[in-house]
């Protein structure tokens, strides 16, 4: 039933949120817009969060410093970008041969993920919330076929920090190239390969026209989670109602972003193949070499980075347990369905 | 920045929500509690939703009638329970050899699922929101091994309406038995088999002690979605802010429920095996016979139920497209990871 309205007072708030992504990556960038719209709707427009594309307020990779300095109130980013600052950031996004998207969400919401990351992030004045996941990404675009680990030796690839370090152990050479220059570098042969995201985003950039071999899976990101960062003082100043609204608005954006990828990738993949992309699975020998290199990198990190080591123990146990169950009901169901004429 | 507080008036509201589940199914029942807590927190306690276990206000299968009559404001249920009322309810939950949980969420949030179901539900005065998913379920507990489709012939199985109809085409006999009586029926041999949910819920009921053969996958529910039902007049009476809060609170509960299953099932499966459960995959011949029977049932439904037919066309296309993409990045990643020593 409905009782008479009572008087309530809530703050009027304006925040600025810096995305690490350009508007052209509409699926990822859109998660921050969904979040902002959610908060505004739930508060009758009293809590406004303006969303700014990468570079508008701060550079894509400057959002952690900007949050820490209080220059911005919030950010939406892929935490593994800050692997160079501290490798442990990557647990909030993806590590090579790590969790898939359902596992990452389960670890964050119902495992120890959120607790461990909140402790880690305190030194950066960041309060984090999961906000989107791409699902398993593709293994990228190559000018020539990859038939064995020998084909990785000397391969110049545009790939992010963590995947790049593992690739380096395999004899590959990782390159940092801004998004807008990748196509030309591939065309000229300055690089041999690039990774990006998956069919929906990749199609827009047209890499298939200059590097047609499209391998899967992206073993360095089996379920890349995006994260909402909030400056801890701004978070602390919110009323309990606004804190609840922000948390739930982020959860909704978390669902929506993955749903968008899952709804849009299938047709994009069809179109890429129609336009000449040569789809193939990485040979097992290449996957095995990468997995071995990953284990070496993790051993080094456990020996050198206490923040990494503290989180890795819990993460690795959750991962191992989860992959005892994932192939049973879900895995066998998907495998059967993938083979049917639907 | 923060501006001075302004005066706002929001209604005080009390709703009663009837769950179709007992409190002992804490993961599913808990989704409604999470939702209720979310709404209360976001509104400073002004919008209170009391959650009632099955039977407290109305029987588990009486929630649609109760919503339609305005006897309750909201419900949390598994829509395929209402398969006997109209088979199209099942699209909001699971159909045999249908979508997995990510696909179902994508279809609801970013495909045409929500739009089509809102149109269908209007005749029942229901406004729906996705609120939880179990993931792919197990294929249930059997007193004897299932080695070929011949072993389904004459099999007396406790199984819900839609799976039961397909089982009937395979020569099986579906039985309706209340949850509390299943164990005894299995022990006595009154039934030969039962399905329930997955390791975490199954462990509590102890079926492995009397019917130890535990098969997978549950082909009749590859990703069973739970749904929040709201009476359309109560929904219409909410302010825009409260509508936004309810929608986002449901999204958060949607994420949390699946995360709970994903976090808890692995250890429960280990324990079941340690206590004697004999885990095995359904033989391909049995899966193929079930898939054929499913196609026959769908042909009949397309011929006889216009509500079914209208939604099925869209659902089937989304499903077929999605299973062209699902095995590529996610499927190959999970398959590789499942085979590693982690």
């Amino acid at each position: 039933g409905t009782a008479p309205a009572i008087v309530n007072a809530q703050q009027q708030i304006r925040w600025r949120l810096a995305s690490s992504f350009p508007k052209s990556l509409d699926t990822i960038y859109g998660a921050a817009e969904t979040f902002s719209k959610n908060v505004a709707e739930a508060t009758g427009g009293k809590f406004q969060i303006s969303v700014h594309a990468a570079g508008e307020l701060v550079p894509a990779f400057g959002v952690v410093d900007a949050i820490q300095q209080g220059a911005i109130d919030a950010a939406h980013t892929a935490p593994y970008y800050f692997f160079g600052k501290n490798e442990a950031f990557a647990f909030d996004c993806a590590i090579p041969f790590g969790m898939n998207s359902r596992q990452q969400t389960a670890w964050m919401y119902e495992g120890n993920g959120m607790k461990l990351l909140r402790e880690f992030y305190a030194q950066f004045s960041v309060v984090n919330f999961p906000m989107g996941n791409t699902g398993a990404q593709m293994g990228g675009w190559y000018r020539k076929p990859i038939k064995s680990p020998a084909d990785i030796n000397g391969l110049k690839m545009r790939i992010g920090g963590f995947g790049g370090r593992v690739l380096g152990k395999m004899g590959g050479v990782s390159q940092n190239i801004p998004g807008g220059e990748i196509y030309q570098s591939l065309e000229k042969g300055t690089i041999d390969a690039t990774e990006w995201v998956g069919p929906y985003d990749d199609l827009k950039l047209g890499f298939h026209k200059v590097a047609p071999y499209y391998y899967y899976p992206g073993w360095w990101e089996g379920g890349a989670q995006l994260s909402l960062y909030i400056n801890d003082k701004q978070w602390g100043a919110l009323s309990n109602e606004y804190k609840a609204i922000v948390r739930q608005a982020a959860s909704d954006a978390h669902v929506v972003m993955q749903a968008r990828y899952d709804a849009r990738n299938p047709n994009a993949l069809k179109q890429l193949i129609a336009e000449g992309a040569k789809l193939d699975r990485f040979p097992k020998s290449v996957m095995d070499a990468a997995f071995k290199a990953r284990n070496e990198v993790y051993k080094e990190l456990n020996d050198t980075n206490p923040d990494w080591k503290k989180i890795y123990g819990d993460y690795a146990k959750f991962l191992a347990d989860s992959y005892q169950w994932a192939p049973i009901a879900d895995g066998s169901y998907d495998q059967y369905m993938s083979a049917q004429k639907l």
Side-chain angles (χ1 to χ4, degrees), chain A residues 154-171:
Chain A
L155 185 88
K156 284 173 289 180
M157 181 164 181
R158 187 267 179 201
I159 183 171
F162 210 154
R165 193 181 299 183
V166 176
L167 191 81
K169 283 228 181 275
M170 300 168 72

Side-chain angles (χ1 to χ4, degrees), chain A residues 315-338:
Chain A
Y315 182 101
K317 186 180 183 314
F318 195 98
L319 178 71
D321 284 349
S322 187
Y323 267 120
Q324 296 293 310
W325 160 242
I328 304 300
D330 271 288
S332 70
Y333 186 81
D334 285 341
Q335 197 177 35
Y336 186 82
M337 291 297 285
S338 300

Side-chain angles (χ1 to χ4, degrees), chain A residues 58-212:
Chain A
V58 290
F61 302 144
V63 301
V64 171
D65 292 341
I67 290 264
Q68 197 166 7
Q69 292 155 11
I72 54 173
D73 309 298
H76 185 233
T77 194
Y80 60 14
Y81 288 158
F82 308 99
F83 172 77
K85 198 183 270 289
N86 187 320
E87 293 91 349
F89 274 93
F91 288 118
D92 194 27
C93 184
I95 66 173
F97 297 98
M99 294 179 187
N100 69 21
S101 70
R102 266 177 61 179
Q103 293 166 338
Q104 179 77 26
T105 292
W107 183 62
M108 293 298 291
Y109 277 81
E110 291 290 319
N112 297 318
M114 186 67 103
K115 177 180 164 287
L116 290 166
L117 283 164
R118 287 278 170 94
E119 288 168 11
F120 167 73
Y121 276 132
Q123 64 190 293
F124 302 100
S125 305
V126 163
V127 174
N128 66 299
F129 293 90
M131 201 159 92
N133 196 304
T134 62
Q137 297 196 10
M138 290 294 287
W141 299 93
Y142 299 75
R143 284 163 53 95
K144 294 180 184 165
I146 300 295
K147 294 186 172 161
S148 80
D151 293 323
I152 303 293
N153 201 33
L155 185 88
K156 284 173 289 180
M157 181 164 181
R158 187 267 179 201
I159 183 171
F162 210 154
R165 193 181 299 183
V166 176
L167 191 81
K169 283 228 181 275
M170 300 168 72
V173 183
S174 68
Q175 310 262 320
N176 263 325
I177 296 176
E181 295 171 25
I182 302 173
Y183 185 94
Q184 212 176 9
S185 303
L186 270 178
E187 193 175 26
K188 284 186 189 164
T190 313
I191 56 174
D192 306 305
T194 188
E195 59 95 36
W196 194 239
V197 183
Y200 178 73
D201 292 325
D202 293 9
L203 178 63
K204 287 187 264 185
L205 295 183
F207 301 137
H208 57 295
K209 293 170 193 159
V210 286

Side-chain angles (χ1 to χ4, degrees), chain A residues 13 50 65 78 100 135-136 181 193 220 270 280 291 295 306 312 324:
Chain A
I13 293 187
S50 59
D65 292 341
N100 69 21
E181 295 171 25
W220 51 94
K270 275 188 209 172
D280 208 353
F291 189 71
N295 288 342
Y312 184 72
Q324 296 293 310

